[in-house]
Amino acid sequence: MKPTSSPSKRLFPPLRPRWWRARFLWIGVLCLAVVLLFGSFRAAYGAYRAYMGRPPDQVHLSWVTDPARSFTVLWHTHRPNTASLIEYRRQGETQWRQEIGMIRRATPNGSLHEVTIADLTPNTTYEYRLKGDFYGNVWSNVFQVKTAPAAGPADFDAVYVADTGLVGRRDGLATGTAQVVAEIAKLKPFLVLAGGDYAYYDKDRRYATLDKTIDVWFNQMMPVFSQSPVMPTYGNHEAILKENYTTWLERFATPAGFDHQRNYSFDIGNVHFVSIFAVYEEQGLNPAVLDWLEQDLQAAQAAGQTWLIPFMHVSAFAEGASHPSNLALRAQLGPLFERFGVKLVLSSHDQAYERTYPLVNVPEQNQPTTRELACYTLEEGTTWLKVSPGGKESNKSNHFSVFEADPSPWVAVRDNTQHVFAQLQFAASGSLAVNVFGVKGDGASPALVDAFMYTNGRCE
């Protein structure tokens, strides 16, 4: 007879040895490790793909040669060996054309690229896009740019903005920066004149190095500069306050001009713009710069340009306490501009808005040719416009610049309660209208701070 197992053995089978149970435990641990390792690999691979396939940033337009038949683009990629490739086409076309540019500068975290597209049609809108880092088919968004009108009277606008700072400063002074950028981007101006004092690296070290700080500034301004060519002048911060003019110069593309591109000029239609390197509180321009400036204005006048528009950082007329008038600059430029019939001078530096009446006999008398506020003929004098700040309040007052109690007789309009930028509207019919907008950084619609015009006709 075959023995049967006892009831206790059937209900309670003998336990496996400990090494057998441990084997299942180690198998479980190994499986978990494989899952975690695979997840980490996927995350690392995804991060690698994202890094290797990043689109370009810091996209900004400018002009180096004829603005009516060309445009220049600068942009940044995170890999140093990404090709400087641009595709462009006339608006409405379907076929892209390609152009290879050059690496303008190696940066600590990538490369700055430059390309100039030439032989274009005046007064025409083009689309363009830029090749990103090499993984996959990565391109920038499609941007638009318009070539300048041909020589002669034309309709176009320009915006002047300065003293921007970087969004999110720890001292809280960049109260208007984000909104100023957003409002200018909405206007889509044909041209932006940048008036200096951009990043304020001496007081804002969040990004550790000047290079990284400049990266952040160009990305901040990209909604404007990717669609509107930017032509800069430089301020005291870019030139003498713990920054490096050469580092900034390498980020902008401008005509050669004079003194290593510190001073240069360019023409749009019948308008001649002159960027002047004025960065000192009390010191004027050196004689060589004055000679160059005189020759430049003389050549523009001989060529028949109607409007001569100098723009610079430091102001010859300023009554704010943070950065008062540079009297040496006033003495040099007043007679020169009057002699050549300059009607409008743009500057910034002192964190408040001011406009003079049209003046003659500068600097001896600073005599208004009229006390009217809205309209001037070409027989009137020179209006000096100080447009500041464009986002960042003064470190000296921790607010806007403080005015003297009583304005000088030459002051037509002033305001130190908001951030400002100026829109210049040139008309083929022969007028220049200036509208100055102000924001407080609270999202409210821009206020019209000031408005006036020059006309080659009559003021009604």
Side-chain angles (χ1 to χ4, degrees):
M1 180 178 228
K2 193 172 184 180
T4 59
S5 58
S6 67
S8 63
K9 287 184 178 181
R10 290 195 302 271
L11 292 175
F12 304 102
L15 295 175
R16 298 288 186 184
R18 289 187 178 181
W19 65 267
W20 181 264
R21 284 177 288 161
R23 182 170 66 176
F24 287 104
L25 177 62
W26 284 111
I27 290 173
V29 170
L30 182 60
C31 291
L32 179 61
V34 169
V35 170
L36 293 176
L37 184 62
F38 181 70
S40 299
F41 174 78
R42 288 190 62 185
Y45 182 63
Y48 171 78
R49 287 188 60 175
Y51 173 76
M52 301 296 279
R54 296 171 74 171
D57 61 6
Q58 303 176 46
V59 180
H60 53 290
L61 293 156
S62 67
W63 289 300
V64 175
T65 58
D66 182 3
R69 299 185 179 277
S70 72
F71 64 86
T72 297
V73 191
L74 279 71
W75 72 98
H76 173 264
T77 60
H78 294 270
R79 286 188 54 80
N81 57 350
T82 297
S84 303
L85 177 62
I86 182 174
E87 291 189 338
Y88 69 99
R89 63 189 178 191
R90 188 184 301 200
Q91 187 180 36
E93 294 179 342
T94 57
Q95 187 69 34
W96 290 102
R97 287 170 276 181
Q98 289 191 343
E99 188 77 30
I100 297 291
M102 66 177 183
I103 293 179
R104 181 180 175 93
R105 179 180 185 270
T107 70
N109 65 333
S111 294
L112 184 69
H113 305 262
E114 177 184 357
V115 66
T116 294
I117 305 299
D119 300 322
L120 302 177
T121 304
N123 203 34
T124 301
T125 299
Y126 288 86
E127 297 176 331
Y128 72 95
R129 63 182 184 179
L130 308 162
K131 187 71 171 67
D133 290 320
F134 73 86
Y135 189 94
N137 191 28
V138 178
W139 290 85
S140 70
N141 293 332
V142 175
F143 303 109
Q144 291 185 349
V145 58
K146 190 174 184 179
T147 53
D155 297 326
F156 72 93
D157 71 328
V159 162
Y160 177 89
V161 65
D163 304 307
T164 54
L166 294 178
V167 171
R169 283 176 61 108
R170 290 172 181 155
D171 59 14
L173 293 178
T175 54
T177 306
Q179 189 176 1
V180 165
V181 174
E183 298 297 343
I184 295 174
K186 288 178 189 175
L187 286 177
K188 297 183 178 180
F190 173 74
L191 162 67
V192 175
L193 305 172
D197 281 9
Y198 303 126
Y200 291 90
Y201 175 65
D202 67 321
K203 299 293 185 181
D204 189 352
R205 296 295 182 91
R206 284 174 291 160
Y207 304 100
T209 68
L210 177 60
D211 260 305
K212 290 181 180 178
T213 301
I214 296 175
D215 289 346
V216 173
W217 186 79
F218 272 107
N219 276 325
Q220 170 185 284
M221 304 304 294
M222 187 170 146
V224 177
F225 294 167
S226 61
Q227 63 182 350
S228 304
V230 53
M231 303 302 284
T233 193
Y234 299 96
N236 55 305
H237 278 266
E238 289 80 46
I240 55 180
L241 286 181
K242 298 182 181 179
E243 297 189 31
N244 186 328
Y245 164 72
T246 302
T247 305
W248 278 100
L249 175 66
E250 290 171 340
R251 301 301 191 97
F252 287 107
T254 68
F258 178 75
D259 191 17
H260 304 287
Q261 297 174 275
R262 286 176 171 84
N263 307 274
Y264 66 92
S265 62
F266 61 99
D267 294 307
I268 306 292
N270 65 343
V271 184
H272 183 71
F273 295 96
V274 189
S275 174
I276 301 172
F277 190 74
V279 299
Y280 297 104
E281 293 279 320
E282 299 177 354
Q283 179 181 326
L285 306 178
N286 68 51
V289 173
L290 280 175
D291 288 344
W292 173 85
L293 180 57
E294 181 174 6
Q295 293 171 22
D296 180 84
L297 294 174
Q298 188 174 33
Q301 190 178 65
Q305 295 299 81
T306 302
W307 305 103
L308 310 179
I309 309 293
F311 64 106
M312 68 202 78
H313 183 68
V314 169
S315 297
F317 286 87
E319 296 213 315
S322 294
H323 302 291
S325 303
N326 182 320
L327 299 180
L329 203 59
R330 183 189 298 182
Q332 291 176 325
L333 297 182
L336 183 65
F337 290 165
E338 187 174 342
R339 177 151 56 92
F340 285 103
V342 171
K343 298 305 169 192
L344 182 67
V345 182
L346 299 167
S347 63
S348 49
H349 191 44
D350 184 46
Q351 284 88 357
Y353 173 71
E354 290 180 84
R355 184 213 344 157
T356 73
Y357 292 106
L359 302 179
V360 294
N361 299 322
V362 175
E364 289 81 8
Q365 295 178 314
N366 303 321
Q367 177 184 346
T369 57
T370 178
R371 296 281 178 180
E372 294 295 324
L373 289 175
C375 182
Y376 310 119
T377 68
L378 297 186
E379 284 70 44
E380 305 292 352
T382 305
T383 296
W384 302 73
L385 207 65
K386 186 192 70 178
V387 184
S388 178
K392 184 251 173 202
E393 297 174 20
S394 171
N395 279 99
K396 293 190 174 183
S397 65
N398 289 320
H399 200 44
F400 299 100
S401 190
V402 178
F403 286 134
E404 300 294 334
D406 297 315
S408 295
W410 43 260
V411 176
V413 179
R414 67 182 191 177
D415 183 286
N416 65 348
T417 67
Q418 53 198 318
H419 302 277
V420 289
F421 56 93
Q423 182 187 39
L424 284 58
Q425 296 176 311
F426 298 92
S429 58
S431 65
L432 163 57
V434 179
N435 297 305
V436 179
F437 298 100
V439 300
K440 297 191 175 182
D442 56 4
S445 297
L448 185 61
V449 177
D450 190 15
F452 65 98
M453 70 177 295
Y454 275 90
T455 176
N456 64 357
R458 298 176 57 186
C459 291
E460 301 296 334

